């Protein structure tokens, strides 16, 4: 499998694997592109040219101070010259969704994994409690490493392989430079503020939404609500997975991805 980095935008780091139709993988908050390593080779073998993106301020990508959701989406769109498949996890899924809304003609398909059009809980809507997001924001300034460690534990919560999941996530973070503190704070602001619920009905590319039933950050009870908001999309719930199904339930995740891509 060939590996190289090519930068259309010198401030955005993307590591490419394989050859074929372009597929960009977007990581979650606090992570970097290395988090996808367990499924990269399989996706490349399936005929994709897989790009592991470090979002601005994470991994090897330069920060984009003060960026909100639209700015992150536009930054990644600099890598999208031809119709490209997008696969985003958690915060990365929100960025990919925004990309599909901004430039549908450049998005061949959209897959969101353990993601939500609105991450913060509200009346009648499940998500991350506002006080939890506020606590993470306060703790970032005091102890960044401990805050990241706590978030790793939160992401794996509910998984039967939680300890191993955290180990894999921690190893992915360690492969690249530590995330920029301001980028982390900006990312939390996006998780608090962004709300695409009223817009997802307008997403035109084929769209698969993949969830874990045991996910504590994106509750499974919201799936039916998004089904109603975006009836043109497909949803799949992995019954024993939590927030990182591509790590804890790798084979099931790959099976659902390949099934979806074969229908395109």
């Amino acid at each position: 499998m060939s590996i190289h980095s090519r930068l259309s935008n010198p401030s955005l780091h993307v590591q490419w694997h394989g050859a074929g139709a372009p597929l960009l993988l977007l990581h979650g908050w606090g992570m970097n592109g290395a988090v996808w390593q367990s499924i990269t080779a399989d996706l490349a073998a399936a005929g994709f040219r897989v790009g592991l993106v470090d979002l601005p301020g994470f991994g090897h990508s330069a920060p984009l101070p003060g960026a909100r959701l639209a700015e992150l989406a536009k930054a990644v769109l600099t890598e999208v010259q031809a119709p490209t498949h997008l696969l985003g996890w958690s915060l990365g899924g929100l960025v990919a969704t925004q990309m599909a809304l901004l430039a549908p003609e450049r998005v061949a398909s959209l897959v969101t994994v353990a993601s939500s059009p609105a991450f913060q809980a509200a009346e009648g809507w499940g998500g991350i409690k506002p006080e939890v997001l506020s606590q993470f924001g306060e703790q970032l300034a005091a102890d960044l490493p401990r805050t990241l460690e706590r978030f790793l534990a939160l992401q794996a919560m509910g998984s039967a392989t939680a300890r191993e999941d955290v180990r894999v996530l921690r190893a992915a973070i360690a492969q690249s430079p530590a995330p920029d503190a301001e980028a982390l704070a900006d990312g939390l602001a996006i998780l608090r503020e962004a709300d695409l619920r009223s817009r997802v009905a307008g997403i035109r590319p084929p769209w698969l939404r993949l969830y874990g039933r045991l996910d504590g950050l994106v509750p499974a009870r919201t799936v039916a609500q998004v089904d109603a908001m975006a009836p043109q999309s497909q949803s799949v719930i992995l019954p024993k997975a939590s927030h990182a199904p591509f790590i804890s339930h790798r084979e099931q995740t790959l099976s659902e991805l390949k099934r979806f891509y074969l229908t395109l």
Side-chain angles (χ1 to χ4, degrees):
M1 178 175 61
S2 63
I3 302 175
H4 69 283
S5 297
R6 176 185 61 76
L7 301 177
S8 299
N9 175 356
S11 66
L12 190 74
H13 183 266
V14 183
Q15 188 178 72
W16 292 95
H17 300 249
L23 168 61
L24 286 180
L25 274 53
L26 310 182
H27 61 79
W29 186 83
M31 301 289 127
N32 57 63
V35 77
W36 297 106
Q37 287 181 339
S38 65
I39 64 171
T40 300
D42 296 88
L43 292 172
F48 290 103
R49 183 169 177 257
V50 182
L52 307 184
V53 178
D54 287 344
L55 291 172
F58 297 91
H60 296 280
S61 290
L64 194 59
R68 290 300 185 261
L69 182 58
E71 286 75 30
L72 291 186
K74 290 173 183 175
V76 182
L77 278 169
T78 62
E79 280 295 317
V80 180
Q81 309 306 318
T84 296
H85 300 277
L86 303 178
L87 196 169
W89 170 50
S90 197
L91 173 62
L94 190 59
V95 175
T97 302
Q98 180 69 76
M99 292 171 66
L101 288 165
L102 286 174
E105 73 285 352
R106 287 192 273 166
V107 178
S109 72
L110 171 65
V111 177
T112 54
V113 178
S115 192
S116 175
F119 274 88
Q120 181 165 276
E123 185 176 353
W125 181 256
I128 308 172
K129 293 180 180 179
E131 56 268 30
V132 172
L133 288 170
S134 295
Q135 288 169 6
F136 275 114
E138 293 166 3
Q139 292 167 0
L140 270 179
D143 192 339
L144 190 155
R146 184 179 177 188
T147 304
L148 287 174
E149 192 68 23
R150 183 180 169 215
F151 196 71
L152 293 183
L154 196 60
Q155 293 182 80
M157 186 175 61
S159 170
T161 55
R163 184 173 296 181
E164 176 63 14
D165 298 351
V166 169
R167 186 195 68 77
V168 173
L169 292 169
R170 189 187 294 120
I173 294 177
Q175 289 186 42
S176 298
D180 177 77
E182 188 172 353
L184 287 167
D186 291 341
L188 285 178
I190 292 171
L191 294 176
R192 282 196 306 268
E193 301 164 3
D195 187 348
L196 298 180
R197 286 177 291 177
S198 66
R199 301 184 60 195
V200 292
I203 291 178
R204 286 165 30 197
W207 181 14
L208 170 65
R209 299 160 23 236
L210 190 60
Y211 300 91
R213 187 179 65 82
L214 305 179
D215 191 341
L217 301 179
V218 182
R221 66 180 181 275
T222 64
V223 176
Q225 292 172 284
V226 184
D227 286 342
M229 294 170 189
Q232 80 283 16
S233 65
Q234 307 173 39
S235 63
V236 174
I237 303 175
L238 300 184
K240 296 184 179 180
S242 182
H243 192 65
F246 59 97
I247 291 173
S248 64
H249 293 75
R250 174 181 173 277
E251 294 302 327
Q252 286 179 266
T253 299
L254 283 168
S255 176
E256 292 297 340
L257 290 175
K258 290 175 181 178
R259 178 195 59 78
F260 172 69
Y261 291 131
L262 284 173
T263 66
L264 299 178

